[in-house]
Amino acid sequence: MANGSGRPLSPHLQVYKLPLTAILSITHRITGVGLAVGTLLLTWWLVAAAVSPEAFARAQGFIGSGFGLLLMFGWSAALYYHLCNGIRHLVWDAGKSFELSDADRNNRIVLGAAAALTVLTWIVGLAVW
Amino acid sequence: MASNTSDLRSPLARARGLGSAKDGTEHWWGQRLSAMALVPLTIWFVFGVIRHLGADYTAFHAWMKSPFSAVMMILTAVVTFHHAHAGLQVVIEDYVHVEWQKLALLIAVKFLSFALAAACVLAVAKIFIGA
């Protein structure tokens, strides 16, 4: 060992390849912060609806624009990821699913469910729009 | 419980269930409770947004004139801001280590969360009442 103690070193984040479980863990925080920023749009949307038809049309117009739809796609994916992984956190909080095999399986369930829900939402959304 | 010799707390301290920090696990529990509440609220919100994509002012107002929808929207906003604030607080505490910057960010995030939540509630209430 580099420190000469023979004891294991903690991973050096710049050279250590994070396992999927670790990537999904930090992604939970990143999506959480992103969703918090998204509350600004939620507030704009609701306040605009309370102000005037013109203000609401501006907000709806922004959401329906190319940039707005890109943001909405990002937020919907982040929302579903944070929702699915959040349920996984609640399962952990209940003291379950701590085995490595559980983690590997739940990685796939969370990613699959978040992707499926995002795609499904956009198919339905674009169909009714 | 008296047989637990490794626990040095007095019976009263054990009954109160608070550690040396005195506020116990309120923050942690609040974050989990709001997470649980947000599962159904988020599903309702997503369905509602899909049904009102590109909706005009009149259609949106008709939606928020329903007591159920107005209550759900207010709950969604308030619980979302509570949960977002709890999460951002933990992120700031974990990554910002300069004391004044940490304090400034914590205060700013708290003030902003309350302000935005109040704006959302007032907006829904105004549409519901029709003022």
Side-chain angles (χ1 to χ4, degrees):
Chain A
M1 287 294 153
N3 63 357
S5 71
R7 291 166 60 83
L9 295 168
S10 58
H12 195 289
L13 285 176
Q14 280 160 314
V15 295
Y16 176 68
K17 183 174 180 292
L18 288 176
L20 186 58
T21 313
I23 294 171
L24 296 196
S25 172
I26 192 61
T27 305
H28 193 70
R29 285 206 156 179
I30 294 167
T31 52
V33 172
L35 289 166
V37 174
T39 59
L40 292 170
L41 181 66
L42 171 72
T43 309
W44 179 26
W45 191 54
L46 290 175
V47 169
V51 168
S52 69
E54 296 75 31
F56 188 62
R58 255 199 309 280
Q60 287 288 68
F62 172 75
I63 293 167
S65 70
F67 182 58
L69 287 176
L70 187 69
L71 285 176
M72 293 296 277
F73 182 79
W75 273 318
S76 63
L79 181 68
Y80 281 128
Y81 176 79
H82 201 83
L83 178 71
C84 295
N85 204 54
I87 291 170
R88 178 192 208 184
H89 268 277
L90 291 175
V91 172
W92 276 329
D93 293 335
K96 299 185 195 316
S97 281
F98 283 118
E99 294 301 323
L100 203 54
S101 57
D102 296 332
D104 289 340
R105 183 199 59 211
N106 294 347
N107 284 344
R108 290 196 295 273
I109 293 176
V110 166
L111 284 174
L117 286 167
T118 306
V119 170
L120 189 69
T121 299
W122 280 83
I123 290 172
V124 174
L126 292 174
V128 299
W129 188 25
Chain B
M1 289 301 284
S3 64
N4 186 359
T5 52
S6 68
D7 192 342
L8 298 175
R9 289 175 298 173
S10 68
L12 178 60
R14 201 153 50 231
R16 282 183 177 143
L18 303 173
S20 59
K22 303 299 178 219
D23 65 346
T25 53
E26 277 170 36
H27 185 274
W28 186 90
W29 182 240
Q31 209 176 4
R32 268 64 190 175
L33 216 55
S34 56
M36 281 187 261
L38 279 170
V39 174
L41 288 171
T42 300
I43 294 168
W44 172 84
F45 180 76
V46 169
F47 272 99
V49 168
I50 289 176
R51 282 181 47 230
H52 295 86
L53 284 171
D56 64 7
Y57 184 79
T58 318
F60 190 86
H61 276 226
W63 183 32
M64 283 299 114
K65 289 268 186 198
S66 143
F68 178 78
S69 303
V71 166
M72 286 297 275
M73 189 62 92
I74 287 174
L75 284 176
T76 303
V78 170
V79 182
T80 293
F81 281 110
H82 178 274
H83 189 79
H85 173 255
L88 288 175
Q89 184 187 336
V90 172
V91 170
I92 293 166
E93 285 167 352
D94 280 355
Y95 302 130
V96 182
H97 300 304
V98 180
E99 195 58 31
W100 71 267
Q101 292 173 353
K102 181 168 78 181
L103 198 61
L105 271 174
L106 287 174
I107 292 172
V109 162
K110 187 156 201 161
F111 282 11
L112 199 61
S113 300
F114 271 82
L116 293 175
C120 287
V121 170
L122 181 65
V124 176
K126 181 179 182 252
I127 298 170
F128 178 73
I129 296 165

